Each structure stands twice: as C-alpha cells, then as structure tokens.
Amino acid sequence: EIRLRAPRLFANQEGKDLLVEYVEGENAGKALLSRVRMGMYLGEGCLFHGEGAWLVKDTDHLMKTSFDGGSGSMIFIMTSERILLLEGSGNLNICEIAWEVCFQGIVLLEVSIREMNRSEGQKELFDVIQCSYLKPEVGAGANHDRKKAAIESKTSSCIGLGSIVSEFIYFPRGSGEKMLKEIQRVAPKFAETGSDEER
C-alpha cells in the first residue's frame, strides 16, 4: 500500500520554525520567501504577494507608455517589514531580489491609476505606487577603507532632498491598492496615505 503525504514547508509561526502542510495559495508566498537569500526574511512572514509588477525609475516614469508582454515583470512580496520585488529568471527555486525597501526608510507612498499600452495593442489599467525613500546609508559597503568610511560617517548624518529616491512600481489593477491597505495595517504612519481616486 502506498501512502501519500501532502507537501510541507518550514514556516515561522508564533516565533517558532515549524514544519507545516503546504496549502497552494495560502503558503505560496512563504515558499517564495524561503527561496530569497536562503530564507533570511522568512521570520518576517509573507503578508501579500503576486506577480506582474514592474519597477520604473523616477526619470523614466512619465516617458513610459507601454509594457511588452510579460518581459521584465517581477514577483512582489510584502512582509511585516519590507516590500520585495523578485526576479525568478525562469527558475523559482532561487529568487533574486531586484529591489527592496524597508518601511522604516519610506518617506512617502502614493497610489494612482495609469492606463498603459500592451504589446498586443490593447490598453490596460495599472495601480502605480510611488515610493519615496531614504537612500541606503552611505559607507555601508564593506570595501571602503577606514579613512573614507570615517569621512562618510560624518556626512551621512546630514539628510537632505538628495538623500531621497523615488521609484514607481506598476502593479496589476487592484494589487497596488490591496498592498497599500496591508502596509497601512502594519505601518500606521502610512494611515493617511490614499489613492488619487479617494482624494
């Protein structure tokens, strides 16, 4: 007689790493998160995830009018502390981080809706989250010599507009607003943030 056992995965529940049954949809985000940096963020939990996000740099945002098929689209994951955009490059056993930001470094979040052209000639609506955040700390790299690191540490305490980066993340319609609601739930400082439609 053959016994079949449902697939399982390690998940952090109530501060303990437990072997739990894999439930498709419910555990897909945890499974993806376990493949990022060898499960480094697994303890933060996966609150929301999906596919089909695009990252557009601040200077390119207004010039962008179309997306071509699925190329360049990424997986997005929100944990209790950060937003991650992942590239699976056809192999979801190892996911590379294309972009990440911690909630504590975010200065501003805004959601808008934008119509874009698809390669098939059809128009599609996207949720666009503008995320403005502080640049990662100057001098954090391991390759700096001591003298340079000492100079940078003195200047890094001065935060000005030059220390803020803005990125635009395009999500499938509905996903951006859902992510914003989840962010507002775990990071109350964004409770006043809303979409252009709500204002």
Side-chain angles (χ1 to χ4, degrees), residues 113-149:
I113 298 166
R114 186 151 184 222
E115 187 177 77
M116 301 292 281
N117 296 319
R118 300 296 291 208
S119 59
E120 305 87 32
Q122 299 174 337
K123 294 185 181 287
E124 188 175 336
L125 291 176
F126 286 88
D127 290 343
V128 183
I129 292 185
Q130 178 185 353
C131 181
S132 300
Y133 60 97
L134 296 174
K135 287 181 186 176
E137 219 170 70
V138 179
N143 297 339
H144 295 318
D145 60 41
R146 289 179 185 214
K147 186 176 180 183
K148 188 174 180 184

CSV table of all heavy atoms in Angstrom, one decimal, residues 113-149:
chain,number,residue,atom,x,y,z
A,113,ILE,N,-3.7,55.5,-10.6
A,113,ILE,CA,-4.1,54.5,-11.7
A,113,ILE,C,-3.6,55.1,-13.0
A,113,ILE,O,-3.8,56.3,-13.3
A,113,ILE,CB,-5.6,54.3,-11.7
A,113,ILE,CG1,-6.0,53.8,-10.3
A,113,ILE,CG2,-6.0,53.4,-12.8
A,113,ILE,CD1,-7.5,53.8,-10.1
A,114,ARG,N,-3.0,54.2,-13.8
A,114,ARG,CA,-2.5,54.7,-15.1
A,114,ARG,C,-2.8,53.7,-16.2
A,114,ARG,O,-2.7,52.5,-16.0
A,114,ARG,CB,-1.0,54.9,-15.0
A,114,ARG,CG,-0.4,55.5,-16.2
A,114,ARG,CD,0.9,56.3,-15.9
A,114,ARG,NE,1.3,56.9,-17.1
A,114,ARG,CZ,2.6,56.9,-17.5
A,114,ARG,NH1,3.5,56.5,-16.7
A,114,ARG,NH2,2.9,57.5,-18.6
A,115,GLU,N,-3.2,54.2,-17.3
A,115,GLU,CA,-3.5,53.3,-18.5
A,115,GLU,C,-2.2,53.2,-19.3
A,115,GLU,O,-1.6,54.1,-19.6
A,115,GLU,CB,-4.6,54.0,-19.3
A,115,GLU,CG,-5.1,53.1,-20.4
A,115,GLU,CD,-6.2,53.7,-21.2
A,115,GLU,OE1,-6.0,54.6,-22.0
A,115,GLU,OE2,-7.4,53.3,-20.9
A,116,MET,N,-1.9,51.9,-19.6
A,116,MET,CA,-0.7,51.6,-20.4
A,116,MET,C,-1.1,50.8,-21.6
A,116,MET,O,-2.1,50.0,-21.6
A,116,MET,CB,0.3,50.9,-19.6
A,116,MET,CG,0.7,51.6,-18.3
A,116,MET,SD,1.7,53.1,-18.7
A,116,MET,CE,3.3,52.3,-19.0
A,117,ASN,N,-0.3,50.9,-22.7
A,117,ASN,CA,-0.5,50.1,-23.9
A,117,ASN,C,0.2,48.7,-23.7
A,117,ASN,O,1.3,48.7,-23.1
A,117,ASN,CB,0.1,50.8,-25.1
A,117,ASN,CG,-0.6,52.1,-25.4
A,117,ASN,OD1,-1.9,52.1,-25.4
A,117,ASN,ND2,0.1,53.1,-25.8
A,118,ARG,N,-0.4,47.7,-24.2
A,118,ARG,CA,0.3,46.4,-24.2
A,118,ARG,C,0.8,46.1,-25.6
A,118,ARG,O,0.4,46.7,-26.5
A,118,ARG,CB,-0.8,45.3,-23.7
A,118,ARG,CG,-1.3,45.5,-22.4
A,118,ARG,CD,-0.3,45.4,-21.3
A,118,ARG,NE,0.2,44.0,-21.2
A,118,ARG,CZ,0.7,43.4,-20.1
A,118,ARG,NH1,0.8,44.1,-19.0
A,118,ARG,NH2,1.1,42.2,-20.2
A,119,SER,N,1.6,45.1,-25.7
A,119,SER,CA,2.2,44.8,-27.0
A,119,SER,C,1.2,44.4,-28.0
A,119,SER,O,1.3,44.5,-29.2
A,119,SER,CB,3.3,43.7,-26.9
A,119,SER,OG,2.8,42.6,-26.3
A,120,GLU,N,0.1,43.8,-27.5
A,120,GLU,CA,-1.0,43.3,-28.4
A,120,GLU,C,-1.8,44.5,-28.9
A,120,GLU,O,-2.8,44.3,-29.6
A,120,GLU,CB,-1.9,42.3,-27.7
A,120,GLU,CG,-1.2,41.1,-27.1
A,120,GLU,CD,-0.7,41.4,-25.7
A,120,GLU,OE1,-1.3,42.2,-24.9
A,120,GLU,OE2,0.4,40.8,-25.3
A,121,GLY,N,-1.5,45.7,-28.5
A,121,GLY,CA,-2.3,46.9,-28.9
A,121,GLY,C,-3.4,47.2,-28.0
A,121,GLY,O,-4.2,48.2,-28.2
A,122,GLN,N,-3.6,46.4,-26.9
A,122,GLN,CA,-4.7,46.7,-26.0
A,122,GLN,C,-4.2,47.6,-24.9
A,122,GLN,O,-3.1,47.6,-24.5
A,122,GLN,CB,-5.2,45.4,-25.4
A,122,GLN,CG,-5.8,44.4,-26.4
A,122,GLN,CD,-6.1,43.1,-25.8
A,122,GLN,OE1,-5.6,42.7,-24.8
A,122,GLN,NE2,-7.0,42.3,-26.5
A,123,LYS,N,-5.2,48.3,-24.3
A,123,LYS,CA,-4.9,49.2,-23.2
A,123,LYS,C,-5.2,48.5,-21.9
A,123,LYS,O,-6.2,47.7,-21.9
A,123,LYS,CB,-5.6,50.5,-23.3
A,123,LYS,CG,-5.1,51.4,-24.5
A,123,LYS,CD,-5.8,52.7,-24.5
A,123,LYS,CE,-5.3,53.5,-25.7
A,123,LYS,NZ,-4.0,54.0,-25.6
A,124,GLU,N,-4.5,48.7,-20.9
A,124,GLU,CA,-4.7,48.1,-19.6
A,124,GLU,C,-4.5,49.1,-18.4
A,124,GLU,O,-3.6,49.9,-18.5
A,124,GLU,CB,-3.8,46.9,-19.4
A,124,GLU,CG,-4.1,46.0,-18.3
A,124,GLU,CD,-3.2,44.7,-18.2
A,124,GLU,OE1,-2.7,44.3,-19.3
A,124,GLU,OE2,-3.0,44.2,-17.1
A,125,LEU,N,-5.3,49.0,-17.4
A,125,LEU,CA,-5.1,49.8,-16.2
A,125,LEU,C,-4.2,49.2,-15.2
A,125,LEU,O,-4.2,48.0,-15.0
A,125,LEU,CB,-6.4,50.1,-15.5
A,125,LEU,CG,-7.4,51.0,-16.3
A,125,LEU,CD1,-8.7,51.1,-15.6
A,125,LEU,CD2,-6.8,52.4,-16.6
A,126,PHE,N,-3.3,50.0,-14.6
A,126,PHE,CA,-2.3,49.5,-13.6
A,126,PHE,C,-2.5,50.4,-12.4
A,126,PHE,O,-2.7,51.6,-12.5
A,126,PHE,CB,-0.9,49.6,-14.1
A,126,PHE,CG,-0.5,48.6,-15.1
A,126,PHE,CD1,-0.7,48.8,-16.5
A,126,PHE,CD2,0.0,47.4,-14.7
A,126,PHE,CE1,-0.4,47.8,-17.4
A,126,PHE,CE2,0.4,46.4,-15.6
A,126,PHE,CZ,0.2,46.6,-17.0
A,127,ASP,N,-2.2,49.8,-11.2
A,127,ASP,CA,-2.0,50.6,-10.0
A,127,ASP,C,-0.6,51.0,-10.0
A,127,ASP,O,0.3,50.1,-10.2
A,127,ASP,CB,-2.4,49.8,-8.7
A,127,ASP,CG,-3.8,49.5,-8.6
A,127,ASP,OD1,-4.6,50.2,-9.3
A,127,ASP,OD2,-4.2,48.6,-7.8
A,128,VAL,N,-0.3,52.3,-9.7
A,128,VAL,CA,1.1,52.7,-9.7
A,128,VAL,C,1.3,53.3,-8.3
A,128,VAL,O,0.7,54.2,-7.8
A,128,VAL,CB,1.4,53.9,-10.7
A,128,VAL,CG1,2.8,54.3,-10.6
A,128,VAL,CG2,1.0,53.4,-12.1
A,129,ILE,N,2.3,52.7,-7.6
A,129,ILE,CA,2.7,53.1,-6.2
A,129,ILE,C,4.0,53.9,-6.4
A,129,ILE,O,5.0,53.4,-6.9
A,129,ILE,CB,2.9,52.0,-5.2
A,129,ILE,CG1,1.6,51.4,-4.9
A,129,ILE,CG2,3.5,52.5,-3.9
A,129,ILE,CD1,1.6,50.3,-3.8
A,130,GLN,N,4.0,55.2,-6.0
A,130,GLN,CA,5.2,56.0,-6.0
A,130,GLN,C,5.7,55.8,-4.6
A,130,GLN,O,5.1,56.1,-3.6
A,130,GLN,CB,4.9,57.5,-6.2
A,130,GLN,CG,6.2,58.3,-6.1
A,130,GLN,CD,6.0,59.8,-6.3
A,130,GLN,OE1,4.9,60.2,-6.6
A,130,GLN,NE2,7.0,60.5,-6.0
A,131,CYS,N,6.9,55.3,-4.5
A,131,CYS,CA,7.6,55.0,-3.2
A,131,CYS,C,8.8,55.9,-3.1
A,131,CYS,O,9.8,55.7,-3.9
A,131,CYS,CB,8.0,53.5,-3.1
A,131,CYS,SG,8.8,53.1,-1.6
A,132,SER,N,8.8,56.9,-2.2
A,132,SER,CA,9.9,57.8,-2.0
A,132,SER,C,10.6,57.3,-0.7
A,132,SER,O,9.9,57.2,0.3
A,132,SER,CB,9.5,59.2,-1.9
A,132,SER,OG,8.9,59.6,-3.1
A,133,TYR,N,11.8,57.1,-0.7
A,133,TYR,CA,12.5,56.5,0.5
A,133,TYR,C,13.9,57.1,0.6
A,133,TYR,O,14.5,57.6,-0.4
A,133,TYR,CB,12.5,55.0,0.4
A,133,TYR,CG,13.2,54.4,-0.8
A,133,TYR,CD1,14.6,54.0,-0.7
A,133,TYR,CD2,12.6,54.3,-2.0
A,133,TYR,CE1,15.2,53.5,-1.8
A,133,TYR,CE2,13.2,53.8,-3.1
A,133,TYR,CZ,14.5,53.3,-3.0
A,133,TYR,OH,15.2,52.8,-4.1
A,134,LEU,N,14.5,56.9,1.8
A,134,LEU,CA,15.9,57.4,2.0
A,134,LEU,C,16.8,56.4,1.4
A,134,LEU,O,16.7,55.2,1.5
A,134,LEU,CB,16.2,57.5,3.5
A,134,LEU,CG,15.3,58.5,4.3
A,134,LEU,CD1,15.6,58.4,5.8
A,134,LEU,CD2,15.6,59.9,3.8
A,135,LYS,N,17.9,56.9,0.7
A,135,LYS,CA,18.9,56.0,0.2
A,135,LYS,C,19.5,55.2,1.3
A,135,LYS,O,19.6,55.6,2.4
A,135,LYS,CB,20.0,56.9,-0.4
A,135,LYS,CG,19.7,57.6,-1.7
A,135,LYS,CD,20.9,58.3,-2.2
A,135,LYS,CE,20.6,59.2,-3.4
A,135,LYS,NZ,21.7,60.0,-3.8
A,136,PRO,N,20.0,54.0,0.9
A,136,PRO,CA,20.7,53.2,1.9
A,136,PRO,C,21.9,54.0,2.4
A,136,PRO,O,22.5,54.8,1.7
A,136,PRO,CB,21.2,52.0,1.2
A,136,PRO,CG,20.2,51.9,0.0
A,136,PRO,CD,19.8,53.3,-0.3
A,137,GLU,N,22.3,53.8,3.7
A,137,GLU,CA,23.3,54.6,4.3
A,137,GLU,C,24.6,54.6,3.6
A,137,GLU,O,25.1,53.6,3.1
A,137,GLU,CB,23.5,54.1,5.8
A,137,GLU,CG,23.7,55.2,6.8
A,137,GLU,CD,23.7,54.7,8.2
A,137,GLU,OE1,24.7,54.0,8.5
A,137,GLU,OE2,22.7,54.9,8.9
A,138,VAL,N,25.2,55.8,3.4
A,138,VAL,CA,26.5,55.9,2.8
A,138,VAL,C,27.5,55.3,3.7
A,138,VAL,O,27.5,55.4,4.9
A,138,VAL,CB,26.8,57.4,2.6
A,138,VAL,CG1,28.2,57.6,1.9
A,138,VAL,CG2,25.7,58.1,1.8
A,139,GLY,N,28.4,54.6,3.1
A,139,GLY,CA,29.5,53.9,3.8
A,139,GLY,C,29.2,52.6,4.4
A,139,GLY,O,29.9,52.0,5.2
A,140,ALA,N,28.0,52.0,4.0
A,140,ALA,CA,27.6,50.7,4.5
A,140,ALA,C,28.4,49.6,3.8
A,140,ALA,O,28.4,48.5,4.3
A,140,ALA,CB,26.1,50.5,4.3
A,141,GLY,N,29.0,49.8,2.6
A,141,GLY,CA,29.7,48.8,1.9
A,141,GLY,C,30.9,48.3,2.6
A,141,GLY,O,31.6,49.1,3.3
A,142,ALA,N,31.3,47.1,2.4
A,142,ALA,CA,32.5,46.5,3.1
A,142,ALA,C,33.8,46.9,2.4
A,142,ALA,O,34.9,46.6,3.0
A,142,ALA,CB,32.3,45.0,3.2
A,143,ASN,N,33.8,47.5,1.3
A,143,ASN,CA,35.0,47.7,0.5
A,143,ASN,C,35.7,49.1,0.8
A,143,ASN,O,36.7,49.4,0.3
A,143,ASN,CB,34.8,47.7,-1.0
A,143,ASN,CG,34.3,46.3,-1.4
A,143,ASN,OD1,34.5,45.3,-0.7
A,143,ASN,ND2,33.7,46.2,-2.5
A,144,HIS,N,35.1,49.9,1.7
A,144,HIS,CA,35.6,51.2,2.0
A,144,HIS,C,36.8,51.1,2.9
A,144,HIS,O,36.8,50.3,3.8
A,144,HIS,CB,34.6,52.1,2.6
A,144,HIS,CG,33.5,52.4,1.7
A,144,HIS,ND1,33.6,52.7,0.4
A,144,HIS,CD2,32.1,52.5,2.0
A,144,HIS,CE1,32.4,53.0,-0.1
A,144,HIS,NE2,31.5,52.8,0.8
A,145,ASP,N,37.8,52.0,2.7
A,145,ASP,CA,38.9,52.0,3.7
A,145,ASP,C,38.5,52.8,4.9
A,145,ASP,O,37.5,53.5,4.8
A,145,ASP,CB,40.2,52.5,3.0
A,145,ASP,CG,40.1,53.9,2.5
A,145,ASP,OD1,39.4,54.8,3.2
A,145,ASP,OD2,40.6,54.2,1.4
A,146,ARG,N,39.2,52.7,5.9
A,146,ARG,CA,38.8,53.4,7.2
A,146,ARG,C,38.7,54.9,7.1
A,146,ARG,O,37.8,55.5,7.6
A,146,ARG,CB,39.8,53.0,8.3
A,146,ARG,CG,39.7,51.6,8.7
A,146,ARG,CD,40.7,51.3,9.8
A,146,ARG,NE,40.7,49.9,10.1
A,146,ARG,CZ,40.9,49.4,11.3
A,146,ARG,NH1,41.2,50.2,12.3
A,146,ARG,NH2,40.8,48.1,11.5
A,147,LYS,N,39.7,55.5,6.4
A,147,LYS,CA,39.7,57.0,6.3
A,147,LYS,C,38.4,57.5,5.6
A,147,LYS,O,37.7,58.4,6.0
A,147,LYS,CB,40.9,57.5,5.6
A,147,LYS,CG,41.1,59.0,5.6
A,147,LYS,CD,42.4,59.4,5.0
A,147,LYS,CE,42.6,60.9,5.0
A,147,LYS,NZ,43.8,61.3,4.3
A,148,LYS,N,38.1,56.8,4.5
A,148,LYS,CA,36.9,57.2,3.7
A,148,LYS,C,35.7,57.0,4.4
A,148,LYS,O,34.7,57.8,4.4
A,148,LYS,CB,36.9,56.4,2.3
A,148,LYS,CG,35.9,56.9,1.4
A,148,LYS,CD,36.0,56.2,0.0
A,148,LYS,CE,34.9,56.6,-0.9
A,148,LYS,NZ,35.0,55.9,-2.2
A,149,ALA,N,35.6,55.8,5.2
A,149,ALA,CA,34.4,55.5,5.9
A,149,ALA,C,34.2,56.5,7.1
A,149,ALA,O,33.1,56.9,7.4
A,149,ALA,CB,34.6,54.1,6.5
